[in-house]
Amino acid sequence: MPASQRIVRTSLLITSASLLSVSLSVPAVADEKPKPPASMSTVGGERLGRAGTQVELGSGAPVLPKELTARSWIVADAESGDVLAAHNAHWKLPPASTLKMLFADTLLPRFPRTEKHEVELSDLAGVGAGSSTVGIKENETYTVHDLWLGVFLRSGNDAVHVLSAMNGGIDKTVADMQEHADELRATDTTVASPDGYDAPGQVSSAYDLTLFARSGLQKKDFREYCSTVRAQFPGETKKDKKGRTTRGSFEIQNTNRLLTGDYDVDTYKGIAGVKNGNTTNAGATFTGVAERDGRVLLVTVMNPQKNEHNEVYKETARLLDWGFAAAGKVEPVGELVAPRSASPDARPGGTAAPESRESARAAAAAAPGTGRSSGAGVALGVAGGLLALLAGGAFLINRRWPLPDLVRRRTRH
């Protein structure tokens, strides 16, 4: 081999070896896991703005569960607002259908449940391809009650779009939701779609989703819908050979597996909602509320990294178990803030006004036994009078926000 060829070959081998060395020493960007930003919101407390797990264990407090893979989670006392523990609480992440909690909290008061609406084709425009639907049909009439059952039980984006059309359209509804999020001081949330379907720039956080759940649970209809296990939903109108029309119905079941159970997940004792979600960008997300021994906890879990069936529910159940065992044995690492318009004359210190206690007693006396939504859901009762009813809509600030008539479970059939 001529000397010139040997020199060229040697140079190529050295260059190739150098490139291989560089490629081995530099990790592939595609394999890097997303990390929470170094600086996040401090709404609710400075520690909630830190990356990583925040917890302050006291004497006798159990350690946190080991098998927690979610990118973000939070455990909070629903009444006092104390955050018992959190992990990347303010990390802005795609929320999936848990954003429907904000949608419901914004729009539920606007339409009586008996109001009827005939669906037009334009009402269903823009429903994302492959998104969850309840089966709403054009030219069929539904009550608002039907539509909300579709939203909560089947996470129906078609039902969300119909209610948005009734509210003046998608753009107006998105703007209304953003305004309500700002009122709740949910500063991590940017709304781009009313149903939580993946959209550019749409984000929320475990902290904000917990605020939405806590606010929604102040509403009786919200509590009823998010705790309903199954219901009958209107079907399609059909004509027989004689021209007579009939309209049947079909059963829909809640997709919240802590409420309904599954082959690998048991129904969680004391569970009362609230909302789950799953999209390509968001992964699995879930916010749950449960009561045990007179204490009500809220847990939000976003995007578990363990690829196992129903993992978001399994991690939520572990955090709920921990929260109930740790209550009173940990120092809060933050709090769920009150809305901007919280009543300035609300009583401090978490003591309900006398008229609030009277309202609570009246609510307890009037609470149904085993009532069902549309004959198929599960009613929520008053937890032994522990949870006081808000009087005159007043928001009890300064560490306490009681939930009205939540959450003693009734036996399901």
Side-chain angles (χ1 to χ4, degrees):
M1 181 182 294
S4 60
Q5 291 183 354
R6 287 200 299 273
I7 293 172
V8 170
R9 183 179 179 184
T10 301
S11 299
L12 290 173
L13 288 172
I14 293 173
T15 301
S16 177
S18 299
L19 290 173
L20 178 60
S21 176
V22 170
S23 67
L24 291 175
S25 62
V26 179
V29 174
D31 292 336
E32 291 183 354
K33 294 183 179 179
K35 297 180 180 179
S39 177
M40 293 181 284
S41 169
T42 57
V43 172
E46 181 271 335
R47 290 191 64 171
L48 298 182
R50 301 182 194 175
T53 302
Q54 307 301 318
V55 65
E56 196 69 40
L57 300 177
S59 176
V63 297
L64 284 164
K66 293 181 179 180
E67 296 183 6
L68 297 176
T69 68
R71 289 182 175 173
S72 175
W73 53 259
I74 191 170
V75 182
D77 187 300
E79 290 192 294
S80 70
D82 288 339
V83 176
L84 307 184
H87 180 76
N88 302 325
H90 281 292
W91 191 359
K92 297 180 181 181
L93 298 167
S97 286
T98 44
L99 194 66
K100 287 183 172 76
M101 294 186 295
L102 174 62
F103 172 78
D105 194 36
T106 304
L107 263 64
L108 261 172
R110 301 189 179 185
F111 309 105
R113 58 195 290 150
T114 56
E115 182 176 337
K116 296 181 179 180
H117 178 78
E118 183 176 345
V119 175
E120 300 178 5
L121 182 61
S122 59
D123 295 346
L124 300 173
V127 175
S131 63
S132 55
T133 59
V134 68
I136 290 174
K137 302 296 183 182
E138 178 190 359
N139 298 325
E140 294 286 4
T141 298
Y142 301 86
T143 65
V144 166
H145 176 67
D146 295 331
L147 296 172
W148 283 119
L149 286 171
V151 170
F152 277 92
L153 272 67
R154 295 299 304 169
S155 202
N157 288 2
D158 48 356
V160 170
H161 278 247
V162 172
L163 285 163
S164 297
M166 295 173 64
N167 188 55
I170 296 295
D171 291 344
K172 181 181 182 300
T173 300
V174 166
D176 290 347
M177 290 170 65
Q178 188 66 66
E179 182 179 2
H180 189 49
D182 295 342
E183 154 64 16
L184 295 177
R185 297 165 69 184
T187 58
D188 300 323
T189 299
T190 300
V191 183
S193 70
D195 50 24
Y197 191 79
D198 289 336
Q202 180 156 271
V203 291
S204 190
S205 67
Y207 184 87
D208 284 9
L209 292 174
T210 308
L211 290 182
F212 301 152
R214 194 175 185 225
S215 178
L217 288 165
Q218 302 302 303
K219 298 174 175 63
K220 182 179 179 181
D221 284 350
F222 189 104
R223 297 192 302 277
E224 176 192 336
Y225 291 129
C226 79
S227 68
T228 298
V229 175
R230 59 184 59 86
Q232 291 295 310
F233 194 81
E236 191 173 1
T237 300
K238 296 181 179 180
K239 284 186 178 182
D240 60 18
K241 294 180 180 180
K242 296 182 178 181
R244 293 175 299 191
T245 60
T246 58
R247 189 181 188 187
S249 64
F250 56 92
E251 184 178 279
I252 58 175
Q253 188 178 69
N254 204 310
T255 54
N256 173 358
R257 297 309 177 203
L258 290 188
L259 193 65
T260 64
D262 204 352
Y263 72 88
D264 57 345
V265 174
D266 292 331
T267 300
Y268 192 84
K269 183 180 179 181
I271 194 72
V274 280
K275 192 69 188 75
N276 57 316
N278 197 317
T279 66
T280 301
N281 290 342
T285 60
F286 179 66
T287 298
V289 63
E291 182 270 345
R292 185 178 297 174
D293 299 327
R295 187 179 296 274
V296 184
L297 295 183
L298 279 164
V299 168
T300 295
V301 173
M302 299 187 76
N303 200 346
Q305 298 300 285
K306 186 176 182 180
N307 187 22
E308 186 171 317
H309 188 249
N310 284 328
E311 182 63 21
V312 72
Y313 302 109
K314 295 173 183 177
E315 296 194 17
T316 298
R318 293 185 196 116
L319 285 169
L320 282 168
D321 286 344
W322 175 86
F324 287 123
K329 301 175 184 177
V330 296
E331 289 296 322
V333 294
E335 66 175 345
L336 302 178
V337 295
R340 298 184 189 278
S341 60
S343 174
D345 57 353
R347 291 175 173 242
T351 303
E355 58 268 30
S356 298
R357 293 193 291 271
E358 291 303 319
S359 298
R361 294 190 189 98
T370 56
R372 291 170 171 254
S373 173
S374 294
V378 179
L380 296 177
V382 182
L386 172 75
L387 306 174
L389 188 68
L390 294 175
F395 182 88
L396 301 188
I397 59 174
N398 194 2
R399 312 298 299 159
R400 187 169 176 81
W401 184 2
L403 299 176
D405 62 29
L406 175 74
V407 59
R408 184 172 62 211
R409 304 299 301 161
R410 304 299 188 186
T411 302
R412 287 194 294 273
H413 299 283

